Amino acid sequence: MHAYLITAKPGRPTRAVRFAARSTVRLLALLVMVALGAVVLPLRAARPVLNYLATRGAWLELYAASKTGIGPVGAAIGSGLTDEFIREFHKARTGAPA
């Protein structure tokens, strides 16, 4: 049982302000979710296209390397980036306070 049921209910202005505040917070939360969805959905939808383009790019690099005799540069750069990411991730994972 609420205390104001025994004594006095909040006035209409107080209830109106609380309702407006709740509605504003809910509207802002909805807007944040819609904005995040607007960013994430196109990225997720484009993922198969990006994967295809990356595969074709890697194939083209290997084809060009076989024709020119110059080694594939992307593999060396990619492996270096992967190694650096693993080092940073391991540092963050093991260095975080428990």
Side-chain angles (χ1 to χ4, degrees):
M1 180 179 286
H2 293 286
Y4 62 76
L5 292 176
I6 298 170
T7 56
K9 291 183 180 179
R12 284 183 196 237
T14 304
R15 285 186 284 167
V17 168
R18 285 184 187 165
F19 176 77
R22 269 195 311 268
S23 299
T24 303
V25 169
R26 287 178 182 165
L27 181 65
L28 287 173
L30 179 65
L31 289 175
V32 167
M33 288 186 279
V34 167
L36 286 174
V39 170
V40 170
L41 182 65
L43 290 177
R44 289 186 62 96
R47 188 172 180 184
V49 175
L50 295 175
N51 285 344
Y52 174 76
L53 290 175
T55 303
R56 294 304 290 173
W59 178 85
L60 181 62
E61 182 186 18
L62 290 175
Y63 175 76
S66 70
K67 292 296 182 188
T68 61
I70 301 171
V73 178
I77 293 172
S79 66
L81 288 175
T82 302
D83 292 341
E84 183 63 28
F85 176 76
I86 289 171
R87 269 194 300 277
E88 286 296 319
F89 178 73
H90 182 69
K91 224 187 293 183
R93 191 170 53 93
T94 57

